[in-house]
């Protein structure tokens, strides 16, 4: 049965059964299939899709901190057993086969590489339930190197527009006065 093991920093790793699901959404928002309350995830971070031919695909949904497959940034990519997907600072390892061999081999290495959890393989038996709600955590960290665009002050923009129109009107009046004086 296909499972996804999640390694959230400062938490015990946990595995979720994704068999029979056509699509699994990941993020902080409550409408996601997998809700992870961590500051590095966007509200709707990524989606993992089963194309019903035995292949799974991960798509980034325009997240702030990106989605990485085996350390490489991706917007969409085919996922295989043992693939390490990073949603911000949260690591996930996919086991698409029936059995724990791939998980035990890949998960221990993945957790050790990422520093997530306690560095061991998934052994706690913790299972997660779909959350009822999620909000942006107080400790949300925007890791994007691109600054957020700040919206302009509407009143200031109107005042500037009125000023520009007044200057154009003054120039027109001066031009008209010179034209009348010359005639």
């Amino acid at each position: 049965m296909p499972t996804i093991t999640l390694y959230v920093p400062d938490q015990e790793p946990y595995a979720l059964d994704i068999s029979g699901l056509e699509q699994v959404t990941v993020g902080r928002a409550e409408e996601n299939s997998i809700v992870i309350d961590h500051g590095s995830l966007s509200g709707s971070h990524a989606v993992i899709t089963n194309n019903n031919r035995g292949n799974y695909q991960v798509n980034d949904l325009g997240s702030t901190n990106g989605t990485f497959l085996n350390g490489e940034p991706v917007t969409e990519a085919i996922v295989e057993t043992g693939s390490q997907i990073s949603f911000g600072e949260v690591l996930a390892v996919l086991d698409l086969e029936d059995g724990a061999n791939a998980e035990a081999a890949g998960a221990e290495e993945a957790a050790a590489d990422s520093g997530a959890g306690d560095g061991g393989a998934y052994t706690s038996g913790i299972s997660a339930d779909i959350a009822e709600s999620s909000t942006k955590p107080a400790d949300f960290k925007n890791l994007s190197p691109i600054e957020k665009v700040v919206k302009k002050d509407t009143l200031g923009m109107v005042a500037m527009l009125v000023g520009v129109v007044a200057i154009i009107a003054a120039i027109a009046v001066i031009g008209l006065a010179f034209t009348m004086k010359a005639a």
Side-chain angles (χ1 to χ4, degrees):
M1 101 181 113
T3 60
I4 184 169
T5 304
L6 298 165
Y7 297 87
V8 182
D10 302 323
Q11 294 182 20
E12 287 291 317
Y14 56 94
L16 299 170
D17 178 11
I18 59 170
S19 60
L21 298 176
E22 185 176 317
Q23 153 174 310
V24 176
T25 56
V26 179
R28 284 191 339 269
E30 64 183 72
E31 63 268 5
N32 290 297
S33 306
I34 300 175
V35 177
I36 304 171
D37 192 16
H38 189 269
S40 67
L41 266 74
S42 294
S44 295
H45 198 98
V47 61
I48 300 171
T49 308
N50 178 355
N51 66 9
N52 295 322
R53 294 186 302 265
N55 293 332
Y56 282 79
Q57 179 173 327
V58 64
N59 293 73
D60 184 79
L61 299 175
S63 64
T64 301
N65 294 323
T67 300
F68 297 80
L69 180 63
N70 298 322
E72 296 295 320
V74 295
T75 53
E76 64 179 55
I78 300 294
V79 182
E80 300 172 347
T81 291
S83 292
Q84 298 176 19
I85 307 169
S86 296
F87 308 112
E89 295 176 2
V90 175
L91 179 69
V93 178
L94 244 52
D95 181 7
L96 304 176
E97 299 172 357
D98 190 23
N101 292 342
E103 180 182 345
E108 186 171 7
E109 179 182 320
D113 289 347
S114 73
D118 61 359
Y122 171 69
T123 58
S124 67
I126 296 174
S127 63
D129 295 324
I130 296 176
E132 293 292 323
S133 66
S134 175
T135 58
K136 181 177 176 180
D139 65 341
F140 177 76
K141 296 179 266 180
N142 183 349
L143 302 177
S144 175
I146 301 169
E147 285 188 38
K148 184 174 182 175
V149 176
V150 178
K151 294 181 181 177
K152 305 288 188 235
D153 177 28
T154 307
L155 184 59
M157 300 253 321
V158 169
M160 186 183 334
L161 181 61
V162 168
V164 169
V165 169
I167 291 171
I168 292 172
I171 292 172
V173 167
I174 293 171
L176 185 61
F178 279 122
T179 308
M180 301 280 277
K181 202 180 225 185

